[in-house]
Amino acid sequence: MAPMGLKLKMSTGRGEVSDESSKDVHDDVQGMNMDVRPVDTATLTSASLANDHATASTKRSPVPTLVCLVCAGAAYFSLFSTCPTDTSTQTFLSLASEVAASLGTHGSFASAVVFLALFWLFGKLVPSFGACRRAERAWAVGLAAVFSLSLSYNSLATASADPLSLFIALFMVIELSGYFLVCLFGLTFLYVRTRGEAVPKPTAIHRGAFFDFRVKNILRMMAIILVCWLPWIVLMRPGVLSPDTVAQVLWARGFPCFDPSTQGFLVGYDFSDQHPIFDTLIYGVFDRIGTNLGDAAIGYALLGICQAVLQAFAFAVACCFLHRRGLSRVWCIACLVFVSVMPCFGIFSQILVKDYTAVGFYVLWFIAYLEFVFRIREKRPVGARFMVAFILLACLVALTRKLGIYMVIIPMVFPLALLPRRKLSLATLMVPALLMFVFIPQVIYPTFKVAAGGIQEMLAVPLQQVAHCVITNEEDIGSSDLAVIDEVIDLDAIPQCYGDSADSIKDAFRHDASTGDVVAFLEVWVKLGLQHPLSYLQATSYQSPFYASGTSAWEPVYVHGGWLDFGGDEILGDYDEFTPSSTQQTVIDLVPETLYQLPVLGWLADVSLYDVFIPLFALSLCMLRRKGYWLLMVPILFSMLIPLVTSAFSVRFVINLVYCAPLVLAIPFLGAPRERATVPPGSEGAQDG
């Protein structure tokens, strides 16, 4: 018999047999006069486990391994393959050999290591797809499709330049599939890992916390950021003055005012609203300071320092805001390190152009917008001082950037419509609108003799698209439609003015066109767009770098340039036009040609990371995890659409997305504010999240 007190369980194919069942079997065996000997429990357990393991091994499906192999192969192909540029004269086999050669350019050993690393990575990522909920899978599939198009756009554009062949079609499918699989399983993995992240509960912070929202701490972080930026500030001297800024400085100096579009003089005007008049006054003040000190370059250097201080202050406030809204010190430290170490921020602080002058105000306004929405949702007092600061920041953004007024009033429509206490939202919307649309045009323009900017700036994209349609599909356009177009665009000037961007086509705009002519033109624009959508896309192909991966966040670096015939040669005349200084050339050699070629740093400097990947990923987390948090993303989503109305590609048009990236990525994880603890640091109950 079994020893007394021994619990014996036998593993069978149908389940487990308890000690009572074992006793019945033992009695039956005894009745059959069979010799029954005690069985060692440890031996039985080991044998049972070994048998279970063998059974599981024989039943293990090879499908996951095959999926990982396929994903790794497709991802490797997408990352390292190069599409042949000439497919018209080669055979399918020769093209395949050329692609295979591109896959092995790093050597057989390096290729094997990378492939095995991808195989291991997919082994970690693939299981997360099965753990995702239906909504998470839907978002992952949608975003993976968008991200894969962004990642492969440049390669696909190169391939589509040749006649579409079977080989090119196969190449496109494999490359898109590889990027799609990487993004799909990467997103599902992140969704599963962040599923347990709850909205942070308010916790107390003591007054010694480094990221506590206090002036002293903000100044400390400003100092850290500026020290890290100091090498770039020194190397970028005396700053970068684009043609827009040169024109503004000329007007501030008293040179005859001219229209940058028609390049004709504006008789009776001292300034033009082609560029923000507030920026013109700022640049004029610092130009005058430098001139009085004996060198205008001193004034521009001081302006660059002021811009750097403003931007560093905005980043310091952002770090404190994130900590106050529940994020840990690890997040805040990562944010501080990122903005301090990334070369683009220190360099951009020295570019003296309206968009970079405005970006510091925009970051502060965006922080105030987030806090405003939070306070309304939490039914907390907003406060008069906060409202004054919020409205003032909105006005500063509107005054320093041409599209700034739309960037601050359009997002406020959503809190006005969806949140209570609508009078507060209405105030933040109406005050900047009245300032920019009533007070400045009716009071400031006549007082300071400011000429209003032409409507052609807002029509740049329709002008470009219609001009391209006239060039490529004129036979399909009716005579009546051509007559309507000719009232707004000089048809004879289109061949000379049409270019790769919409800047030059504005020169063909008829400035005597009436409002009715413009309305009729826009009706024809919509009509032709429905008939020739591909022509419109080709006309605005210059916008693709905003959304296609592979474009670095970099601006041309030079001292000054433009408008030599209007007096531009007197602006920093010691430097040649569009030529960098010796120290600026060092920056060019070091950053875009060296640092941005490194794997991780180059990816962190990619424009699409900031205006596609981070905003859409943060939006998906808000929709999946945080009810109503999408409202916090409205200003960013609107900014993502701005490139669609720009006349040329420039990082400055999306610079606010680059600067707000740490805030955007943190939005899904923000919560109720921390309260300062009354106990001293180190005492029981004090927390420093």
mmCIF file of all heavy atoms in Angstrom, residues 203-217:
data_model
loop_
_atom_site.group_PDB
_atom_site.id
_atom_site.type_symbol
_atom_site.label_atom_id
_atom_site.label_comp_id
_atom_site.label_asym_id
_atom_site.label_seq_id
_atom_site.Cartn_x
_atom_site.Cartn_y
_atom_site.Cartn_z
ATOM 1 N N THR A 203 -0.060 62.947 -6.780
ATOM 2 C CA THR A 203 0.777 62.658 -5.619
ATOM 3 C C THR A 203 1.463 63.932 -5.175
ATOM 4 O O THR A 203 1.622 64.873 -5.950
ATOM 5 C CB THR A 203 1.833 61.596 -5.948
ATOM 6 O OG1 THR A 203 2.598 62.043 -7.075
ATOM 7 C CG2 THR A 203 1.178 60.264 -6.304
ATOM 8 N N ALA A 204 1.887 63.944 -3.957
ATOM 9 C CA ALA A 204 2.532 65.140 -3.417
ATOM 10 C C ALA A 204 3.990 65.195 -3.837
ATOM 11 O O ALA A 204 4.656 64.189 -3.984
ATOM 12 C CB ALA A 204 2.441 65.129 -1.890
ATOM 13 N N ILE A 205 4.492 66.391 -4.060
ATOM 14 C CA ILE A 205 5.909 66.590 -4.352
ATOM 15 C C ILE A 205 6.433 67.630 -3.370
ATOM 16 O O ILE A 205 5.763 68.604 -3.045
ATOM 17 C CB ILE A 205 6.129 67.060 -5.802
ATOM 18 C CG1 ILE A 205 5.278 68.289 -6.125
ATOM 19 C CG2 ILE A 205 5.816 65.957 -6.783
ATOM 20 C CD1 ILE A 205 5.519 68.840 -7.507
ATOM 21 N N HIS A 206 7.620 67.407 -2.906
ATOM 22 C CA HIS A 206 8.170 68.363 -1.956
ATOM 23 C C HIS A 206 8.849 69.502 -2.709
ATOM 24 O O HIS A 206 9.151 69.407 -3.891
ATOM 25 C CB HIS A 206 9.156 67.673 -1.010
ATOM 26 C CG HIS A 206 10.304 67.000 -1.714
ATOM 27 N ND1 HIS A 206 11.303 67.710 -2.328
ATOM 28 C CD2 HIS A 206 10.599 65.685 -1.886
ATOM 29 C CE1 HIS A 206 12.183 66.874 -2.836
ATOM 30 N NE2 HIS A 206 11.784 65.643 -2.591
ATOM 31 N N ARG A 207 9.100 70.578 -2.012
ATOM 32 C CA ARG A 207 9.606 71.787 -2.658
ATOM 33 C C ARG A 207 11.055 71.652 -3.109
ATOM 34 O O ARG A 207 11.553 72.517 -3.804
ATOM 35 C CB ARG A 207 9.471 72.979 -1.703
ATOM 36 C CG ARG A 207 8.031 73.355 -1.439
ATOM 37 C CD ARG A 207 7.937 74.553 -0.512
ATOM 38 N NE ARG A 207 6.553 74.951 -0.300
ATOM 39 C CZ ARG A 207 5.895 75.772 -1.093
ATOM 40 N NH1 ARG A 207 6.491 76.277 -2.148
ATOM 41 N NH2 ARG A 207 4.646 76.093 -0.838
ATOM 42 N N GLY A 208 11.711 70.593 -2.750
ATOM 43 C CA GLY A 208 13.080 70.402 -3.204
ATOM 44 C C GLY A 208 13.182 69.626 -4.487
ATOM 45 O O GLY A 208 14.270 69.406 -4.990
ATOM 46 N N ALA A 209 12.048 69.173 -5.047
ATOM 47 C CA ALA A 209 12.077 68.379 -6.266
ATOM 48 C C ALA A 209 12.636 69.224 -7.408
ATOM 49 O O ALA A 209 12.235 70.365 -7.610
ATOM 50 C CB ALA A 209 10.678 67.886 -6.602
ATOM 51 N N PHE A 210 13.535 68.637 -8.166
ATOM 52 C CA PHE A 210 14.214 69.387 -9.230
ATOM 53 C C PHE A 210 13.236 69.840 -10.303
ATOM 54 O O PHE A 210 13.399 70.905 -10.894
ATOM 55 C CB PHE A 210 15.316 68.526 -9.847
ATOM 56 C CG PHE A 210 16.103 69.226 -10.911
ATOM 57 C CD1 PHE A 210 17.040 70.187 -10.582
ATOM 58 C CD2 PHE A 210 15.892 68.945 -12.254
ATOM 59 C CE1 PHE A 210 17.763 70.849 -11.570
ATOM 60 C CE2 PHE A 210 16.605 69.591 -13.243
ATOM 61 C CZ PHE A 210 17.544 70.540 -12.900
ATOM 62 N N PHE A 211 12.203 69.039 -10.582
ATOM 63 C CA PHE A 211 11.248 69.361 -11.633
ATOM 64 C C PHE A 211 9.976 70.006 -11.086
ATOM 65 O O PHE A 211 8.988 70.113 -11.816
ATOM 66 C CB PHE A 211 10.896 68.102 -12.431
ATOM 67 C CG PHE A 211 12.044 67.587 -13.259
ATOM 68 C CD1 PHE A 211 12.782 66.493 -12.836
ATOM 69 C CD2 PHE A 211 12.396 68.202 -14.442
ATOM 70 C CE1 PHE A 211 13.837 66.015 -13.588
ATOM 71 C CE2 PHE A 211 13.455 67.735 -15.202
ATOM 72 C CZ PHE A 211 14.176 66.637 -14.776
ATOM 73 N N ASP A 212 9.988 70.396 -9.827
ATOM 74 C CA ASP A 212 8.844 71.111 -9.282
ATOM 75 C C ASP A 212 8.649 72.418 -10.062
ATOM 76 O O ASP A 212 9.613 73.075 -10.458
ATOM 77 C CB ASP A 212 9.090 71.399 -7.799
ATOM 78 C CG ASP A 212 7.857 71.969 -7.130
ATOM 79 O OD1 ASP A 212 6.793 71.984 -7.773
ATOM 80 O OD2 ASP A 212 7.956 72.393 -5.968
ATOM 81 N N PHE A 213 7.388 72.784 -10.262
ATOM 82 C CA PHE A 213 7.077 73.959 -11.081
ATOM 83 C C PHE A 213 7.371 75.227 -10.287
ATOM 84 O O PHE A 213 6.463 75.883 -9.755
ATOM 85 C CB PHE A 213 5.608 73.921 -11.512
ATOM 86 C CG PHE A 213 5.374 74.524 -12.864
ATOM 87 C CD1 PHE A 213 4.732 73.809 -13.861
ATOM 88 C CD2 PHE A 213 5.803 75.805 -13.152
ATOM 89 C CE1 PHE A 213 4.511 74.352 -15.115
ATOM 90 C CE2 PHE A 213 5.595 76.370 -14.394
ATOM 91 C CZ PHE A 213 4.943 75.644 -15.382
ATOM 92 N N ARG A 214 8.640 75.598 -10.233
ATOM 93 C CA ARG A 214 9.071 76.795 -9.532
ATOM 94 C C ARG A 214 10.056 77.553 -10.408
ATOM 95 O O ARG A 214 10.756 76.966 -11.241
ATOM 96 C CB ARG A 214 9.711 76.449 -8.192
ATOM 97 C CG ARG A 214 8.798 75.661 -7.259
ATOM 98 C CD ARG A 214 9.503 75.383 -5.947
ATOM 99 N NE ARG A 214 9.764 76.610 -5.203
ATOM 100 C CZ ARG A 214 10.598 76.694 -4.165
ATOM 101 N NH1 ARG A 214 11.262 75.617 -3.784
ATOM 102 N NH2 ARG A 214 10.765 77.817 -3.525
ATOM 103 N N VAL A 215 10.119 78.855 -10.235
ATOM 104 C CA VAL A 215 10.976 79.701 -11.052
ATOM 105 C C VAL A 215 12.432 79.266 -10.939
ATOM 106 O O VAL A 215 13.166 79.216 -11.940
ATOM 107 C CB VAL A 215 10.804 81.177 -10.647
ATOM 108 C CG1 VAL A 215 11.804 82.052 -11.396
ATOM 109 C CG2 VAL A 215 9.383 81.646 -10.901
ATOM 110 N N LYS A 216 12.857 78.941 -9.726
ATOM 111 C CA LYS A 216 14.250 78.546 -9.525
ATOM 112 C C LYS A 216 14.594 77.308 -10.339
ATOM 113 O O LYS A 216 15.662 77.242 -10.970
ATOM 114 C CB LYS A 216 14.497 78.292 -8.034
ATOM 115 C CG LYS A 216 15.927 77.865 -7.709
ATOM 116 C CD LYS A 216 16.137 77.767 -6.205
ATOM 117 C CE LYS A 216 15.303 76.660 -5.607
ATOM 118 N NZ LYS A 216 15.617 76.471 -4.163
ATOM 119 N N ASN A 217 13.703 76.344 -10.348
ATOM 120 C CA ASN A 217 13.971 75.122 -11.100
ATOM 121 C C ASN A 217 13.941 75.365 -12.604
ATOM 122 O O ASN A 217 14.730 74.778 -13.355
ATOM 123 C CB ASN A 217 12.951 74.048 -10.720
ATOM 124 C CG ASN A 217 13.124 73.569 -9.294
ATOM 125 O OD1 ASN A 217 14.209 73.658 -8.727
ATOM 126 N ND2 ASN A 217 12.053 73.080 -8.696
#
